[in-house]
Amino acid sequence: MDRLTLAVVSRNYFNMPAWVGLHAGLFADEGIDLAIDHIEGIEDVNERVRDGRAQLAYGVTEHVILDAEAGGHQAIIGGNVNRLPFSLVARAGIDGIAGLRGKRIGVSSLRAGSSSLIMRMLASHGLHYPGDYELVACGPILARWDLLRSGGIDAGLQGAPLNHMALDQGFVSLAEPRDDFQFTSLDVDTRWAADHRDLLLRFLRGFLRAHERFTTDRDLARQVAVAESGIEPRYADSAWAEYTRGEIFPRDGEASAAGVQALIETSALIRDLPTRARTRAEDYIDRSWLAAARASL
């Protein structure tokens, strides 16, 4: 068995395809002993690919773009969260997005991730950062959920199943964005990939089967979600229904060109970024790896 490490962001539902592949033995079938490393700091996920502590990542896609701008070697080779899966959840008593004026909004990071989405969403309602509200960098959605319940923030994006849990506990949803947006993706260092072609293709065969299995096997998805995240079965079922209905995880495992382009344009409009050397989504996506893996199935 060949050991591989996949770095992921926290223990949230975004990891379900990898968890399904692990529990169903789909990576083991390819001779791979897969370790999934759950990281709380989103910047650290792609950093582990950069320094070799992990060979692959379900990383925040904006970090691949920032890496490329800095002369790095990371590429998107598969999809993960290809469409926004969030609810903008706020404490009870906040009336609409206009009610967020002067409030504290939790985001994963000020440099990447959910902050650009918040800025874009609130700007469309006449609220502009930093004058009209405060952004609090508090990490991924589990940390935002803890801060929302404790009163440390007034609102934040929550994905299924935490959005359903929040509504059941008296919080309110101010918006339900479901646009094409490559929030997270399967990322790799291209130098490592070139040196480990056979190993990467074997991983990707398991990856492709895992996406198909997630989409078609609700019972397994429920079992895996409960085992890995500790949520109740009813919330696992509601999350599975939302993700499959909205095609949030791509059944074919592919990254979304429309989603990456939306990310590029959103971050370029909002952030004080260096001039982008590349502005086309496909310049950041290498589809050859999945194509080769699919051909070898």
Side-chain angles (χ1 to χ4, degrees), residues 80-87 116-118 120-121 124 157 175-184 242 246-249 256 258-263 266:
N80 183 228
V81 176
N82 285 20
R83 184 169 292 166
L84 294 178
F86 297 117
S87 301
S116 62
L117 300 176
I118 289 291
R120 184 186 69 179
M121 191 182 307
S124 69
L157 292 172
E176 306 280 339
R178 291 295 181 273
D179 309 337
D180 288 328
F181 193 98
Q182 194 75 55
F183 191 71
T184 52
E242 186 167 339
E247 298 179 338
I248 292 166
F249 294 143
S256 165
V260 175
Q261 196 65 45
L263 165 63
T266 297

PDB file of all heavy atoms in Angstrom, residues 80-87 116-118 120-121 124 157 175-184 242 246-249 256 258-263 266:
ATOM      1  N   ASN A  80     -14.579  20.084  -6.044  1.00  0.00           N
ATOM      2  CA  ASN A  80     -15.059  19.744  -4.709  1.00  0.00           C
ATOM      3  C   ASN A  80     -16.356  20.521  -4.511  1.00  0.00           C
ATOM      4  O   ASN A  80     -17.403  20.091  -4.973  1.00  0.00           O
ATOM      5  CB  ASN A  80     -14.008  20.017  -3.638  1.00  0.00           C
ATOM      6  CG  ASN A  80     -14.444  19.616  -2.229  1.00  0.00           C
ATOM      7  OD1 ASN A  80     -14.309  20.379  -1.282  1.00  0.00           O
ATOM      8  ND2 ASN A  80     -14.981  18.417  -2.077  1.00  0.00           N
ATOM      9  N   VAL A  81     -16.303  21.682  -3.891  1.00  0.00           N
ATOM     10  CA  VAL A  81     -17.502  22.511  -3.769  1.00  0.00           C
ATOM     11  C   VAL A  81     -17.531  23.435  -4.986  1.00  0.00           C
ATOM     12  O   VAL A  81     -16.869  24.465  -5.022  1.00  0.00           O
ATOM     13  CB  VAL A  81     -17.499  23.301  -2.448  1.00  0.00           C
ATOM     14  CG1 VAL A  81     -18.702  24.242  -2.380  1.00  0.00           C
ATOM     15  CG2 VAL A  81     -17.535  22.333  -1.263  1.00  0.00           C
ATOM     16  N   ASN A  82     -18.298  23.035  -6.006  1.00  0.00           N
ATOM     17  CA  ASN A  82     -18.334  23.750  -7.281  1.00  0.00           C
ATOM     18  C   ASN A  82     -19.414  24.821  -7.341  1.00  0.00           C
ATOM     19  O   ASN A  82     -19.416  25.651  -8.241  1.00  0.00           O
ATOM     20  CB  ASN A  82     -18.593  22.774  -8.426  1.00  0.00           C
ATOM     21  CG  ASN A  82     -17.392  21.930  -8.775  1.00  0.00           C
ATOM     22  OD1 ASN A  82     -16.480  21.777  -7.965  1.00  0.00           O
ATOM     23  ND2 ASN A  82     -17.383  21.366  -9.961  1.00  0.00           N
ATOM     24  N   ARG A  83     -20.324  24.778  -6.402  1.00  0.00           N
ATOM     25  CA  ARG A  83     -21.431  25.736  -6.363  1.00  0.00           C
ATOM     26  C   ARG A  83     -21.658  26.112  -4.910  1.00  0.00           C
ATOM     27  O   ARG A  83     -21.519  25.278  -4.019  1.00  0.00           O
ATOM     28  CB  ARG A  83     -22.686  25.105  -6.967  1.00  0.00           C
ATOM     29  CG  ARG A  83     -23.867  26.030  -7.061  1.00  0.00           C
ATOM     30  CD  ARG A  83     -24.964  25.397  -7.902  1.00  0.00           C
ATOM     31  NE  ARG A  83     -24.552  25.294  -9.309  1.00  0.00           N
ATOM     32  CZ  ARG A  83     -25.189  24.561 -10.201  1.00  0.00           C
ATOM     33  NH1 ARG A  83     -26.237  23.847  -9.851  1.00  0.00           N
ATOM     34  NH2 ARG A  83     -24.776  24.543 -11.449  1.00  0.00           N
ATOM     35  N   LEU A  84     -22.012  27.355  -4.673  1.00  0.00           N
ATOM     36  CA  LEU A  84     -22.150  27.810  -3.290  1.00  0.00           C
ATOM     37  C   LEU A  84     -23.199  26.983  -2.549  1.00  0.00           C
ATOM     38  O   LEU A  84     -24.321  26.825  -3.033  1.00  0.00           O
ATOM     39  CB  LEU A  84     -22.532  29.286  -3.256  1.00  0.00           C
ATOM     40  CG  LEU A  84     -21.453  30.237  -3.780  1.00  0.00           C
ATOM     41  CD1 LEU A  84     -21.951  31.673  -3.738  1.00  0.00           C
ATOM     42  CD2 LEU A  84     -20.156  30.111  -2.997  1.00  0.00           C
ATOM     43  N   PRO A  85     -22.845  26.474  -1.354  1.00  0.00           N
ATOM     44  CA  PRO A  85     -23.766  25.647  -0.588  1.00  0.00           C
ATOM     45  C   PRO A  85     -24.263  26.332   0.675  1.00  0.00           C
ATOM     46  O   PRO A  85     -24.693  25.672   1.614  1.00  0.00           O
ATOM     47  CB  PRO A  85     -22.867  24.464  -0.210  1.00  0.00           C
ATOM     48  CG  PRO A  85     -21.531  25.113   0.054  1.00  0.00           C
ATOM     49  CD  PRO A  85     -21.453  26.318  -0.869  1.00  0.00           C
ATOM     50  N   PHE A  86     -24.189  27.669   0.722  1.00  0.00           N
ATOM     51  CA  PHE A  86     -24.305  28.372   1.995  1.00  0.00           C
ATOM     52  C   PHE A  86     -25.676  28.994   2.246  1.00  0.00           C
ATOM     53  O   PHE A  86     -26.425  29.299   1.327  1.00  0.00           O
ATOM     54  CB  PHE A  86     -23.268  29.500   2.065  1.00  0.00           C
ATOM     55  CG  PHE A  86     -21.849  29.028   2.034  1.00  0.00           C
ATOM     56  CD1 PHE A  86     -21.018  29.385   0.989  1.00  0.00           C
ATOM     57  CD2 PHE A  86     -21.337  28.229   3.040  1.00  0.00           C
ATOM     58  CE1 PHE A  86     -19.710  28.967   0.944  1.00  0.00           C
ATOM     59  CE2 PHE A  86     -20.031  27.799   3.016  1.00  0.00           C
ATOM     60  CZ  PHE A  86     -19.210  28.165   1.963  1.00  0.00           C
ATOM     61  N   SER A  87     -25.921  29.198   3.529  1.00  0.00           N
ATOM     62  CA  SER A  87     -26.945  30.130   3.991  1.00  0.00           C
ATOM     63  C   SER A  87     -26.216  31.215   4.788  1.00  0.00           C
ATOM     64  O   SER A  87     -25.284  30.898   5.541  1.00  0.00           O
ATOM     65  CB  SER A  87     -27.954  29.438   4.906  1.00  0.00           C
ATOM     66  OG  SER A  87     -28.608  28.373   4.250  1.00  0.00           O
ATOM     67  N   SER A 116     -14.634  37.215   0.434  1.00  0.00           N
ATOM     68  CA  SER A 116     -14.997  37.843  -0.835  1.00  0.00           C
ATOM     69  C   SER A 116     -16.483  37.666  -1.131  1.00  0.00           C
ATOM     70  O   SER A 116     -17.125  38.559  -1.693  1.00  0.00           O
ATOM     71  CB  SER A 116     -14.168  37.264  -1.980  1.00  0.00           C
ATOM     72  OG  SER A 116     -14.410  35.881  -2.137  1.00  0.00           O
ATOM     73  N   LEU A 117     -17.045  36.533  -0.747  1.00  0.00           N
ATOM     74  CA  LEU A 117     -18.477  36.308  -0.949  1.00  0.00           C
ATOM     75  C   LEU A 117     -19.310  37.268  -0.113  1.00  0.00           C
ATOM     76  O   LEU A 117     -20.300  37.832  -0.588  1.00  0.00           O
ATOM     77  CB  LEU A 117     -18.836  34.871  -0.589  1.00  0.00           C
ATOM     78  CG  LEU A 117     -18.130  33.776  -1.379  1.00  0.00           C
ATOM     79  CD1 LEU A 117     -18.512  32.406  -0.836  1.00  0.00           C
ATOM     80  CD2 LEU A 117     -18.461  33.880  -2.846  1.00  0.00           C
ATOM     81  N   ILE A 118     -18.920  37.435   1.135  1.00  0.00           N
ATOM     82  CA  ILE A 118     -19.637  38.354   2.020  1.00  0.00           C
ATOM     83  C   ILE A 118     -19.576  39.775   1.469  1.00  0.00           C
ATOM     84  O   ILE A 118     -20.581  40.489   1.406  1.00  0.00           O
ATOM     85  CB  ILE A 118     -19.052  38.295   3.444  1.00  0.00           C
ATOM     86  CG1 ILE A 118     -19.409  36.963   4.115  1.00  0.00           C
ATOM     87  CG2 ILE A 118     -19.538  39.473   4.288  1.00  0.00           C
ATOM     88  CD1 ILE A 118     -20.874  36.805   4.454  1.00  0.00           C
ATOM     89  N   ARG A 120     -19.110  40.824  -1.593  1.00  0.00           N
ATOM     90  CA  ARG A 120     -19.921  40.956  -2.804  1.00  0.00           C
ATOM     91  C   ARG A 120     -21.410  40.976  -2.470  1.00  0.00           C
ATOM     92  O   ARG A 120     -22.175  41.799  -2.984  1.00  0.00           O
ATOM     93  CB  ARG A 120     -19.622  39.800  -3.761  1.00  0.00           C
ATOM     94  CG  ARG A 120     -20.342  39.909  -5.094  1.00  0.00           C
ATOM     95  CD  ARG A 120     -20.120  38.674  -5.953  1.00  0.00           C
ATOM     96  NE  ARG A 120     -20.785  37.502  -5.399  1.00  0.00           N
ATOM     97  CZ  ARG A 120     -20.772  36.301  -5.972  1.00  0.00           C
ATOM     98  NH1 ARG A 120     -20.095  36.119  -7.093  1.00  0.00           N
ATOM     99  NH2 ARG A 120     -21.392  35.289  -5.429  1.00  0.00           N
ATOM    100  N   MET A 121     -21.832  40.074  -1.615  1.00  0.00           N
ATOM    101  CA  MET A 121     -23.245  39.957  -1.275  1.00  0.00           C
ATOM    102  C   MET A 121     -23.755  41.220  -0.591  1.00  0.00           C
ATOM    103  O   MET A 121     -24.810  41.754  -0.956  1.00  0.00           O
ATOM    104  CB  MET A 121     -23.448  38.745  -0.352  1.00  0.00           C
ATOM    105  CG  MET A 121     -24.890  38.347  -0.130  1.00  0.00           C
ATOM    106  SD  MET A 121     -25.004  36.944   1.019  1.00  0.00           S
ATOM    107  CE  MET A 121     -23.882  35.779   0.255  1.00  0.00           C
ATOM    108  N   SER A 124     -24.059  44.428  -2.780  1.00  0.00           N
ATOM    109  CA  SER A 124     -25.261  44.497  -3.619  1.00  0.00           C
ATOM    110  C   SER A 124     -26.459  45.041  -2.852  1.00  0.00           C
ATOM    111  O   SER A 124     -27.475  45.406  -3.453  1.00  0.00           O
ATOM    112  CB  SER A 124     -25.586  43.115  -4.186  1.00  0.00           C
ATOM    113  OG  SER A 124     -26.016  42.230  -3.163  1.00  0.00           O
ATOM    114  N   LEU A 157     -21.614  32.762   7.008  1.00  0.00           N
ATOM    115  CA  LEU A 157     -22.062  31.752   6.056  1.00  0.00           C
ATOM    116  C   LEU A 157     -21.968  30.368   6.696  1.00  0.00           C
ATOM    117  O   LEU A 157     -20.959  30.022   7.304  1.00  0.00           O
ATOM    118  CB  LEU A 157     -21.200  31.790   4.792  1.00  0.00           C
ATOM    119  CG  LEU A 157     -21.339  33.029   3.918  1.00  0.00           C
ATOM    120  CD1 LEU A 157     -20.286  33.017   2.815  1.00  0.00           C
ATOM    121  CD2 LEU A 157     -22.737  33.133   3.324  1.00  0.00           C
ATOM    122  N   ALA A 175     -29.976  34.901   3.321  1.00  0.00           N
ATOM    123  CA  ALA A 175     -29.764  34.669   1.893  1.00  0.00           C
ATOM    124  C   ALA A 175     -29.337  33.222   1.706  1.00  0.00           C
ATOM    125  O   ALA A 175     -28.798  32.598   2.620  1.00  0.00           O
ATOM    126  CB  ALA A 175     -28.702  35.616   1.339  1.00  0.00           C
ATOM    127  N   GLU A 176     -29.580  32.707   0.494  1.00  0.00           N
ATOM    128  CA  GLU A 176     -29.242  31.307   0.178  1.00  0.00           C
ATOM    129  C   GLU A 176     -28.500  31.276  -1.155  1.00  0.00           C
ATOM    130  O   GLU A 176     -29.026  30.789  -2.160  1.00  0.00           O
ATOM    131  CB  GLU A 176     -30.519  30.455   0.086  1.00  0.00           C
ATOM    132  CG  GLU A 176     -31.423  30.516   1.302  1.00  0.00           C
ATOM    133  CD  GLU A 176     -30.931  29.609   2.418  1.00  0.00           C
ATOM    134  OE1 GLU A 176     -30.167  28.679   2.102  1.00  0.00           O
ATOM    135  OE2 GLU A 176     -31.317  29.841   3.577  1.00  0.00           O
ATOM    136  N   PRO A 177     -27.251  31.765  -1.209  1.00  0.00           N
ATOM    137  CA  PRO A 177     -26.547  31.798  -2.494  1.00  0.00           C
ATOM    138  C   PRO A 177     -26.244  30.392  -3.010  1.00  0.00           C
ATOM    139  O   PRO A 177     -25.745  29.543  -2.273  1.00  0.00           O
ATOM    140  CB  PRO A 177     -25.259  32.560  -2.175  1.00  0.00           C
ATOM    141  CG  PRO A 177     -25.063  32.372  -0.697  1.00  0.00           C
ATOM    142  CD  PRO A 177     -26.441  32.310  -0.115  1.00  0.00           C
ATOM    143  N   ARG A 178     -26.563  30.166  -4.299  1.00  0.00           N
ATOM    144  CA  ARG A 178     -26.311  28.869  -4.938  1.00  0.00           C
ATOM    145  C   ARG A 178     -25.652  29.067  -6.313  1.00  0.00           C
ATOM    146  O   ARG A 178     -25.832  28.257  -7.202  1.00  0.00           O
ATOM    147  CB  ARG A 178     -27.618  28.071  -5.095  1.00  0.00           C
ATOM    148  CG  ARG A 178     -28.218  27.579  -3.790  1.00  0.00           C
ATOM    149  CD  ARG A 178     -27.327  26.558  -3.086  1.00  0.00           C
ATOM    150  NE  ARG A 178     -27.896  26.064  -1.851  1.00  0.00           N
ATOM    151  CZ  ARG A 178     -27.749  26.653  -0.668  1.00  0.00           C
ATOM    152  NH1 ARG A 178     -27.047  27.776  -0.573  1.00  0.00           N
ATOM    153  NH2 ARG A 178     -28.289  26.133   0.405  1.00  0.00           N
ATOM    154  N   ASP A 179     -24.887  30.129  -6.454  1.00  0.00           N
ATOM    155  CA  ASP A 179     -24.244  30.431  -7.728  1.00  0.00           C
ATOM    156  C   ASP A 179     -23.108  29.448  -8.006  1.00  0.00           C
ATOM    157  O   ASP A 179     -22.554  28.825  -7.104  1.00  0.00           O
ATOM    158  CB  ASP A 179     -23.644  31.848  -7.713  1.00  0.00           C
ATOM    159  CG  ASP A 179     -24.634  32.904  -7.260  1.00  0.00           C
ATOM    160  OD1 ASP A 179     -25.848  32.649  -7.366  1.00  0.00           O
ATOM    161  OD2 ASP A 179     -24.193  33.968  -6.801  1.00  0.00           O
ATOM    162  N   ASP A 180     -22.728  29.338  -9.299  1.00  0.00           N
ATOM    163  CA  ASP A 180     -21.479  28.660  -9.643  1.00  0.00           C
ATOM    164  C   ASP A 180     -20.332  29.433  -9.011  1.00  0.00           C
ATOM    165  O   ASP A 180     -20.177  30.643  -9.249  1.00  0.00           O
ATOM    166  CB  ASP A 180     -21.289  28.629 -11.171  1.00  0.00           C
ATOM    167  CG  ASP A 180     -22.243  27.673 -11.851  1.00  0.00           C
ATOM    168  OD1 ASP A 180     -22.606  26.653 -11.245  1.00  0.00           O
ATOM    169  OD2 ASP A 180     -22.641  27.941 -12.998  1.00  0.00           O
ATOM    170  N   PHE A 181     -19.541  28.758  -8.226  1.00  0.00           N
ATOM    171  CA  PHE A 181     -18.415  29.410  -7.541  1.00  0.00           C
ATOM    172  C   PHE A 181     -17.530  28.295  -7.015  1.00  0.00           C
ATOM    173  O   PHE A 181     -17.971  27.490  -6.201  1.00  0.00           O
ATOM    174  CB  PHE A 181     -18.906  30.299  -6.392  1.00  0.00           C
ATOM    175  CG  PHE A 181     -17.854  31.226  -5.834  1.00  0.00           C
ATOM    176  CD1 PHE A 181     -17.798  32.549  -6.239  1.00  0.00           C
ATOM    177  CD2 PHE A 181     -16.933  30.775  -4.898  1.00  0.00           C
ATOM    178  CE1 PHE A 181     -16.838  33.415  -5.721  1.00  0.00           C
ATOM    179  CE2 PHE A 181     -15.971  31.623  -4.377  1.00  0.00           C
ATOM    180  CZ  PHE A 181     -15.915  32.951  -4.788  1.00  0.00           C
ATOM    181  N   GLN A 182     -16.285  28.221  -7.505  1.00  0.00           N
ATOM    182  CA  GLN A 182     -15.382  27.144  -7.075  1.00  0.00           C
ATOM    183  C   GLN A 182     -14.798  27.518  -5.716  1.00  0.00           C
ATOM    184  O   GLN A 182     -13.743  28.115  -5.617  1.00  0.00           O
ATOM    185  CB  GLN A 182     -14.274  26.934  -8.105  1.00  0.00           C
ATOM    186  CG  GLN A 182     -13.510  25.634  -7.915  1.00  0.00           C
ATOM    187  CD  GLN A 182     -14.318  24.436  -8.369  1.00  0.00           C
ATOM    188  OE1 GLN A 182     -14.769  24.388  -9.500  1.00  0.00           O
ATOM    189  NE2 GLN A 182     -14.489  23.453  -7.496  1.00  0.00           N
ATOM    190  N   PHE A 183     -15.522  27.123  -4.677  1.00  0.00           N
ATOM    191  CA  PHE A 183     -15.099  27.501  -3.329  1.00  0.00           C
ATOM    192  C   PHE A 183     -13.908  26.666  -2.885  1.00  0.00           C
ATOM    193  O   PHE A 183     -12.917  27.186  -2.376  1.00  0.00           O
ATOM    194  CB  PHE A 183     -16.270  27.339  -2.350  1.00  0.00           C
ATOM    195  CG  PHE A 183     -16.013  27.952  -1.013  1.00  0.00           C
ATOM    196  CD1 PHE A 183     -15.978  29.325  -0.860  1.00  0.00           C
ATOM    197  CD2 PHE A 183     -15.803  27.157   0.104  1.00  0.00           C
ATOM    198  CE1 PHE A 183     -15.726  29.901   0.380  1.00  0.00           C
ATOM    199  CE2 PHE A 183     -15.559  27.721   1.344  1.00  0.00           C
ATOM    200  CZ  PHE A 183     -15.521  29.095   1.485  1.00  0.00           C
ATOM    201  N   THR A 184     -13.993  25.351  -3.055  1.00  0.00           N
ATOM    202  CA  THR A 184     -12.874  24.461  -2.759  1.00  0.00           C
ATOM    203  C   THR A 184     -12.697  23.508  -3.936  1.00  0.00           C
ATOM    204  O   THR A 184     -13.623  23.259  -4.702  1.00  0.00           O
ATOM    205  CB  THR A 184     -13.107  23.651  -1.470  1.00  0.00           C
ATOM    206  OG1 THR A 184     -14.375  22.993  -1.551  1.00  0.00           O
ATOM    207  CG2 THR A 184     -13.093  24.560  -0.247  1.00  0.00           C
ATOM    208  N   GLU A 242     -29.545  18.232  -0.290  1.00  0.00           N
ATOM    209  CA  GLU A 242     -29.201  19.569  -0.780  1.00  0.00           C
ATOM    210  C   GLU A 242     -28.004  19.522  -1.729  1.00  0.00           C
ATOM    211  O   GLU A 242     -27.991  20.175  -2.777  1.00  0.00           O
ATOM    212  CB  GLU A 242     -28.905  20.488   0.408  1.00  0.00           C
ATOM    213  CG  GLU A 242     -28.683  21.930   0.024  1.00  0.00           C
ATOM    214  CD  GLU A 242     -28.703  22.869   1.220  1.00  0.00           C
ATOM    215  OE1 GLU A 242     -29.258  22.512   2.276  1.00  0.00           O
ATOM    216  OE2 GLU A 242     -28.151  23.974   1.077  1.00  0.00           O
ATOM    217  N   GLY A 246     -28.543  20.181  -5.752  1.00  0.00           N
ATOM    218  CA  GLY A 246     -27.882  21.376  -6.274  1.00  0.00           C
ATOM    219  C   GLY A 246     -26.602  21.105  -7.035  1.00  0.00           C
ATOM    220  O   GLY A 246     -25.958  22.045  -7.501  1.00  0.00           O
ATOM    221  N   GLU A 247     -26.211  19.822  -7.156  1.00  0.00           N
ATOM    222  CA  GLU A 247     -24.975  19.448  -7.828  1.00  0.00           C
ATOM    223  C   GLU A 247     -23.798  20.250  -7.286  1.00  0.00           C
ATOM    224  O   GLU A 247     -22.947  20.755  -8.035  1.00  0.00           O
ATOM    225  CB  GLU A 247     -25.099  19.628  -9.345  1.00  0.00           C
ATOM    226  CG  GLU A 247     -26.169  18.744  -9.964  1.00  0.00           C
ATOM    227  CD  GLU A 247     -26.301  18.933 -11.467  1.00  0.00           C
ATOM    228  OE1 GLU A 247     -25.892  19.995 -11.977  1.00  0.00           O
ATOM    229  OE2 GLU A 247     -26.797  18.016 -12.123  1.00  0.00           O
ATOM    230  N   ILE A 248     -23.753  20.359  -5.970  1.00  0.00           N
ATOM    231  CA  ILE A 248     -22.678  21.113  -5.319  1.00  0.00           C
ATOM    232  C   ILE A 248     -21.362  20.359  -5.439  1.00  0.00           C
ATOM    233  O   ILE A 248     -20.326  20.954  -5.752  1.00  0.00           O
ATOM    234  CB  ILE A 248     -23.063  21.401  -3.858  1.00  0.00           C
ATOM    235  CG1 ILE A 248     -24.246  22.388  -3.837  1.00  0.00           C
ATOM    236  CG2 ILE A 248     -21.878  21.962  -3.076  1.00  0.00           C
ATOM    237  CD1 ILE A 248     -24.932  22.509  -2.506  1.00  0.00           C
ATOM    238  N   PHE A 249     -21.374  19.048  -5.192  1.00  0.00           N
ATOM    239  CA  PHE A 249     -20.243  18.201  -5.557  1.00  0.00           C
ATOM    240  C   PHE A 249     -20.465  17.723  -6.996  1.00  0.00           C
ATOM    241  O   PHE A 249     -21.557  17.240  -7.323  1.00  0.00           O
ATOM    242  CB  PHE A 249     -20.151  16.967  -4.656  1.00  0.00           C
ATOM    243  CG  PHE A 249     -19.842  17.237  -3.215  1.00  0.00           C
ATOM    244  CD1 PHE A 249     -20.432  16.475  -2.229  1.00  0.00           C
ATOM    245  CD2 PHE A 249     -18.939  18.220  -2.836  1.00  0.00           C
ATOM    246  CE1 PHE A 249     -20.155  16.687  -0.892  1.00  0.00           C
ATOM    247  CE2 PHE A 249     -18.648  18.453  -1.504  1.00  0.00           C
ATOM    248  CZ  PHE A 249     -19.251  17.685  -0.516  1.00  0.00           C
ATOM    249  N   SER A 256     -15.198  23.289 -12.015  1.00  0.00           N
ATOM    250  CA  SER A 256     -16.119  24.093 -12.818  1.00  0.00           C
ATOM    251  C   SER A 256     -15.406  25.328 -13.367  1.00  0.00           C
ATOM    252  O   SER A 256     -14.961  26.186 -12.591  1.00  0.00           O
ATOM    253  CB  SER A 256     -17.311  24.530 -11.957  1.00  0.00           C
ATOM    254  OG  SER A 256     -18.035  25.573 -12.574  1.00  0.00           O
ATOM    255  N   ALA A 258     -16.844  27.738 -14.969  1.00  0.00           N
ATOM    256  CA  ALA A 258     -17.686  28.879 -14.604  1.00  0.00           C
ATOM    257  C   ALA A 258     -17.475  29.255 -13.150  1.00  0.00           C
ATOM    258  O   ALA A 258     -17.446  30.442 -12.791  1.00  0.00           O
ATOM    259  CB  ALA A 258     -19.157  28.551 -14.865  1.00  0.00           C
ATOM    260  N   GLY A 259     -17.307  28.246 -12.300  1.00  0.00           N
ATOM    261  CA  GLY A 259     -17.096  28.514 -10.877  1.00  0.00           C
ATOM    262  C   GLY A 259     -15.763  29.170 -10.598  1.00  0.00           C
ATOM    263  O   GLY A 259     -15.664  30.089  -9.774  1.00  0.00           O
ATOM    264  N   VAL A 260     -14.705  28.718 -11.270  1.00  0.00           N
ATOM    265  CA  VAL A 260     -13.386  29.339 -11.087  1.00  0.00           C
ATOM    266  C   VAL A 260     -13.392  30.751 -11.633  1.00  0.00           C
ATOM    267  O   VAL A 260     -12.821  31.673 -11.032  1.00  0.00           O
ATOM    268  CB  VAL A 260     -12.284  28.487 -11.746  1.00  0.00           C
ATOM    269  CG1 VAL A 260     -10.930  29.198 -11.666  1.00  0.00           C
ATOM    270  CG2 VAL A 260     -12.195  27.116 -11.088  1.00  0.00           C
ATOM    271  N   GLN A 261     -14.051  30.967 -12.781  1.00  0.00           N
ATOM    272  CA  GLN A 261     -14.105  32.311 -13.350  1.00  0.00           C
ATOM    273  C   GLN A 261     -14.846  33.265 -12.418  1.00  0.00           C
ATOM    274  O   GLN A 261     -14.443  34.418 -12.240  1.00  0.00           O
ATOM    275  CB  GLN A 261     -14.780  32.287 -14.720  1.00  0.00           C
ATOM    276  CG  GLN A 261     -14.539  33.548 -15.538  1.00  0.00           C
ATOM    277  CD  GLN A 261     -13.074  33.717 -15.919  1.00  0.00           C
ATOM    278  OE1 GLN A 261     -12.433  32.764 -16.355  1.00  0.00           O
ATOM    279  NE2 GLN A 261     -12.545  34.917 -15.751  1.00  0.00           N
ATOM    280  N   ALA A 262     -15.938  32.786 -11.813  1.00  0.00           N
ATOM    281  CA  ALA A 262     -16.667  33.623 -10.859  1.00  0.00           C
ATOM    282  C   ALA A 262     -15.790  33.979  -9.670  1.00  0.00           C
ATOM    283  O   ALA A 262     -15.806  35.122  -9.182  1.00  0.00           O
ATOM    284  CB  ALA A 262     -17.929  32.899 -10.390  1.00  0.00           C
ATOM    285  N   LEU A 263     -14.996  33.031  -9.208  1.00  0.00           N
ATOM    286  CA  LEU A 263     -14.066  33.300  -8.107  1.00  0.00           C
ATOM    287  C   LEU A 263     -13.037  34.348  -8.507  1.00  0.00           C
ATOM    288  O   LEU A 263     -12.788  35.309  -7.761  1.00  0.00           O
ATOM    289  CB  LEU A 263     -13.369  32.000  -7.708  1.00  0.00           C
ATOM    290  CG  LEU A 263     -12.120  32.133  -6.835  1.00  0.00           C
ATOM    291  CD1 LEU A 263     -12.463  32.745  -5.490  1.00  0.00           C
ATOM    292  CD2 LEU A 263     -11.446  30.778  -6.655  1.00  0.00           C
ATOM    293  N   THR A 266     -14.758  37.810  -8.794  1.00  0.00           N
ATOM    294  CA  THR A 266     -15.184  38.340  -7.503  1.00  0.00           C
ATOM    295  C   THR A 266     -13.989  38.841  -6.697  1.00  0.00           C
ATOM    296  O   THR A 266     -13.988  39.961  -6.179  1.00  0.00           O
ATOM    297  CB  THR A 266     -15.937  37.260  -6.705  1.00  0.00           C
ATOM    298  OG1 THR A 266     -17.113  36.896  -7.420  1.00  0.00           O
ATOM    299  CG2 THR A 266     -16.324  37.768  -5.323  1.00  0.00           C
TER     300      THR A 266
END
